[in-house]
Amino acid sequence: QIVIIPVLASLLNVFQGLPEDSKAQVMKDSESITELVTLLCDQITSNNPNQLISLSCATLSQVIDTLGSECVWFGTIKHVLPGLVRLTEEAILSNANEVSEALLSLILCLSNYKESASTLHWCNIQKMLCFAQFYTDKLDNAPLQRLWFLVIQIVISLLQTLKAKFAEDAVLFASIRHDRLMAGIGSLRSDFTHVTEAEHFSALLYSLSEYQDIWHMRASHCLSDVGTILGTIIPIVSHYLTSSVSGDREETTSQVLSMLSNLTAMLRVMTPSILSLLQEKIGVQCPPAPLLALNFTTPPLGTEGPPSYGILTGCLRGCLTLLQRVDPIRSATPTESEVSKSVVSQKSQIIFIMENTLYVLMSQAQQAVMDINMDPNDVYHLRKELGIELKTILEGVHRHFRKGSSVQSPRLDRKLSCSSSFGNILEQSHLSFFKLGYQFVNSLSQV
């Protein structure tokens, strides 16, 4: 049996290389597919050696991803899912790390599909996931860490698949190990040893950001800490990205960018829509509570506090510095070999972070300006300070993407123009969002 499973995996690789019409012919043979899935399920749920169970889990995951549509395989696997959840809990409890990892990986695969995710939810998988937390979040144990990361990924996947149906369970998961999760991302204050855990947790925070109402009702203590975490970590991450160390640690830099993408995307989800704010004709009597503190200086590294305008503008400046380093000015038509995949990926992540950050700054500033209860002196200070900061940054973006230009000090004594070379640069598809930034900066100067 141990020999058969790898042979099946090899056949699946051959199948994936077939033309689409040939694949369609194979998938019409529902009887053979049913027999294959049944065989693998039997190997997983029977009292077999750990190696065979692990191989069967990996092969079944490959079968599911290869076949795709649930209608082909779900009817066969449905009755196995309750036993699969129990078996996973038993494997974790007995410290069978290899089998636990294989079973959790299979559950992660199944959680991407609606019917199987719903059945897993019906099987009370959330109880198993909460149970698994207490056995797997060990910082000094690499095998258990991998299980811990898989548990977090399953929660995120179930939330993305089932949406509001799983939201309360996901919030409960985050609140049960609230201190541990916060400590994981907070560890970045001292070093980046646990950046992988922080990256996973930031992805969980982003997934939960759409369900703020449930978060407020079920775990308001978690939500209150998120602001402090964001305000504390973003400057540290920005500083890391602009340091010489990040250039020597490409994988860590990629993880840090991924984490910053999640955190800024989370803020973007939580801030009011710019479009709805701009459509308001009069001041807002009861606006939502602001996300950003009215502070325009970048705090010292490690200082705890909520996110502020100064923190986010500092994040923009750090991203621009990193962008200039990973994507230096070059010829107008670079050859394919000049641009590595990692550079393209990092450049896309940096621009994504900058767009998120700019969006949050504009939304929060517009909300503050329209708040009739806000002190006029604070509004004036906001217009002046944020306008100057964003002018400097947006001029830097323009200079970077203007081919062959020399670096000059920005002219802050005039309005930013969207015509001429500015307009041409901003018409590039990947920079189109910055055009709104220019227009917003100009509007800030209008009292």
Side-chain angles (χ1 to χ4, degrees):
Q1 288 177 323
I2 293 179
V3 174
I4 291 174
I5 303 302
V7 171
L8 289 174
S10 299
L11 289 174
L12 284 169
N13 289 330
V14 173
F15 174 79
Q16 289 175 334
L18 293 175
E20 292 301 321
D21 54 345
S22 299
K23 287 183 182 179
Q25 289 297 322
V26 174
M27 292 178 66
K28 287 181 180 179
D29 189 357
S30 57
E31 184 176 343
S32 296
I33 291 173
T34 299
E35 291 178 359
L36 173 59
V37 174
T38 302
L39 169 66
L40 292 169
C41 289
D42 288 344
Q43 303 307 313
I44 293 170
T45 54
S46 301
N47 188 20
N48 284 318
N50 288 349
Q51 183 184 2
L52 181 56
I53 295 175
S54 299
L55 284 170
S56 300
C57 286
T59 305
L60 183 56
S61 297
Q62 194 175 355
V63 169
I64 290 170
D65 286 336
T66 301
L67 296 176
S69 175
E70 277 186 292
C71 64
V72 180
W73 51 265
F74 178 69
T76 307
I77 203 174
K78 181 179 180 180
H79 71 282
V80 181
L81 296 183
L84 179 65
V85 173
R86 287 195 302 272
L87 184 61
T88 305
E89 186 171 325
E90 292 169 3
I92 294 173
L93 187 60
S94 61
N95 295 319
N97 293 338
E98 182 182 350
V99 175
S100 299
E101 185 172 351
L103 290 167
L104 286 171
S105 297
L106 176 57
I107 290 174
L108 177 60
C109 172
L110 291 166
S111 66
N112 292 319
Y113 299 91
K114 188 172 182 179
E115 292 297 329
S116 53
S118 297
T119 305
L120 287 169
H121 192 205
W122 178 81
C123 295
N124 205 19
I125 191 176
Q126 56 273 30
K127 180 182 176 182
M128 184 276 287
L129 293 172
C130 289
F131 159 82
Q133 294 184 75
F134 294 96
Y135 287 88
T136 59
D137 66 334
K138 311 296 183 184
L139 289 177
D140 56 348
N141 189 313
L144 288 181
Q145 264 201 329
R146 289 197 297 271
L147 301 185
W148 171 231
F149 298 157
L150 279 170
V151 168
I152 297 176
Q153 289 172 9
I154 290 169
V155 173
I156 294 171
S157 180
L158 286 170
L159 183 59
Q160 291 173 342
T161 304
L162 299 177
K163 302 188 184 303
K165 292 181 180 179
F166 192 72
E168 284 198 30
D169 297 297
V171 169
L172 177 63
F173 174 89
S175 64
I176 285 177
R177 301 297 279 168
H178 158 255
D179 293 339
R180 176 70 202 93
L181 292 167
M182 288 299 179
I185 200 168
S187 66
L188 300 183
R189 296 167 186 165
S190 56
D191 60 61
F192 286 80
T193 305
H194 305 302
V195 66
T196 303
E197 182 177 16
E199 181 188 5
H200 281 87
F201 181 42
S202 70
L204 177 60
L205 285 178
Y206 170 60
S207 298
L208 288 170
S209 61
E210 294 185 36
Y211 305 99
Q212 295 175 63
D213 293 341
I214 296 175
W215 205 342
H216 276 293
M217 290 188 294
R218 303 295 183 189
S220 59
H221 60 288
C222 294
L223 191 62
S224 63
D225 281 353
V226 167
T228 300
I229 287 291
L230 292 174
T232 306
I233 297 303
I234 288 177
I236 296 173
V237 170
S238 301
H239 176 75
Y240 169 85
L241 292 175
T242 57
S243 68
S244 58
V245 176
S246 63
D248 301 326
R249 301 173 63 184
E250 186 171 304
E251 182 179 356
T252 301
T253 299
S254 177
Q255 290 178 299
V256 169
L257 284 172
S258 175
M259 182 175 62
L260 196 53
S261 296
N262 289 327
L263 296 179
T264 55
M266 177 188 179
L267 282 175
R268 181 167 180 166
V269 171
M270 297 174 72
T271 198
S273 163
I274 292 179
L275 182 60
S276 63
L277 288 172
L278 293 176
Q279 288 175 338
E280 294 283 347
K281 300 298 183 182
I282 58 175
V284 180
Q285 296 263 3
C286 300
L291 293 176
L292 304 181
L294 201 64
N295 189 323
F296 299 93
T297 60
T298 303
L301 295 181
T303 303
E304 293 192 4
S308 66
Y309 289 94
I311 285 174
L312 291 194
T313 53
C315 179
L316 279 175
R317 287 194 301 271
C319 285
L320 180 57
T321 300
L322 182 63
L323 181 65
Q324 292 166 342
R325 194 171 72 208
V326 303
D327 182 42
I329 296 174
R330 51 182 180 268
S331 61
T333 57
T335 62
E336 191 171 322
S337 60
E338 289 177 338
V339 186
S340 68
K341 290 183 179 180
S342 62
V343 167
V344 172
S345 174
Q346 288 187 6
K347 180 179 174 182
S348 298
Q349 283 182 299
I350 293 167
I351 291 177
F352 178 73
I353 294 165
M354 294 181 75
E355 286 183 356
N356 288 335
T357 307
L358 183 59
Y359 187 100
V360 174
L361 285 168
M362 291 190 296
S363 169
Q364 289 293 297
Q366 184 66 24
Q367 177 183 315
V369 167
M370 296 180 65
D371 183 359
I372 62 176
N373 300 313
M374 192 169 180
D375 189 323
N377 291 329
D378 290 338
V379 173
Y380 173 80
H381 187 58
L382 169 66
R383 288 179 181 274
K384 179 182 177 182
E385 295 295 332
L386 185 60
I388 291 174
E389 287 286 350
L390 290 184
K391 276 182 179 181
T392 305
I393 293 164
L394 290 172
E395 291 253 15
V397 172
H398 166 253
R399 287 197 305 273
H400 176 72
F401 287 101
R402 187 175 56 195
K403 298 180 180 69
S405 64
S406 58
V407 178
Q408 299 175 354
S409 299
R411 292 172 55 191
L412 303 180
D413 57 340
R414 60 169 175 80
K415 289 185 177 182
L416 294 172
S417 171
C418 288
S419 60
S420 186
S421 63
F422 277 89
N424 293 333
I425 295 295
L426 295 176
E427 291 306 321
Q428 299 179 43
S429 59
H430 64 290
L431 298 175
S432 57
F433 185 78
F434 291 100
K435 186 172 185 178
L436 178 61
Y438 277 98
Q439 295 169 344
F440 182 78
V441 169
N442 288 334
S443 72
L444 278 180
S445 62
Q446 300 172 3
V447 182

